[in-house]
Amino acid sequence: MKEDKRFYEGFDGEKKFILCLCKNDNVLEKFHVWEGFFDDIMSLIPYSNKGGECLAEYYQLALDFDNSHWKVPDCSKALNQLMAIDRHRMKYPRRSDCYDALVEFFTKAVDEKLDVYIDNE
């Protein structure tokens, strides 16, 4: 199993999110990201106050993210939300490679029809 921990290095002991790429409940890949980078990216997804806004709604309202293994309900919609972000507004612009890696992760999920689960620690 492939694990990408680049975006958690140096933050040991701090909160992190682990995105798991899964097929038939088997984890194929893990993407570890420090809470600060993840929050920075998620905060740039506009919240529309409509139901079913996928990743943005769940994160911004803290719905289900307290669960240890949360399934992203619609990876295609999540990818579209991520791709609509203006990376120039990020708090950590030097880490826009984290944003690129996250988009790549969700692109793979959509292209290969895989599920994404998010764990928090």
Side-chain angles (χ1 to χ4, degrees):
M1 170 184 44
K2 178 182 171 186
E3 286 197 66
D4 184 349
K5 297 182 179 184
R6 293 175 291 164
F7 305 106
Y8 188 67
E9 290 173 354
F11 296 101
D12 294 339
E14 295 190 33
K15 187 173 179 183
K16 69 177 170 179
F17 291 95
I18 305 170
L19 286 75
C20 304
L21 202 54
C22 301
K23 183 174 186 171
N24 301 325
D25 293 325
N26 293 317
V27 178
L28 305 174
E29 246 178 80
K30 288 186 177 183
F31 179 82
H32 300 245
V33 60
W34 173 58
E35 176 187 34
F37 295 147
F38 194 71
D39 184 60
D40 186 16
I41 294 166
M42 292 297 106
S43 70
L44 295 175
I45 298 173
Y47 177 67
S48 67
N49 203 18
K50 296 179 198 170
E53 288 300 313
C54 194
L55 192 57
E57 176 184 53
Y58 279 84
Y59 186 76
Q60 292 169 357
L61 295 178
L63 302 174
D64 290 332
F65 267 80
D66 291 335
N67 294 337
S68 60
H69 197 65
W70 177 77
K71 182 178 180 182
V72 175
D74 185 337
C75 289
S76 182
K77 193 170 205 172
L79 177 60
N80 288 336
Q81 289 177 332
L82 289 169
M83 291 177 66
I85 287 174
D86 178 1
R87 71 173 56 229
H88 301 292
R89 294 181 50 221
M90 292 175 65
K91 290 179 198 170
Y92 304 100
R94 290 180 296 166
R95 292 314 322 234
S96 65
D97 55 342
C98 180
Y99 165 78
D100 293 335
L102 194 58
V103 167
E104 183 180 318
F105 190 87
F106 274 94
T107 299
K108 183 173 184 175
V110 171
D111 290 349
E112 297 181 23
K113 296 176 179 39
L114 302 172
D115 294 321
V116 174
Y117 287 86
I118 301 176
D119 299 335
N120 61 55
E121 292 184 0

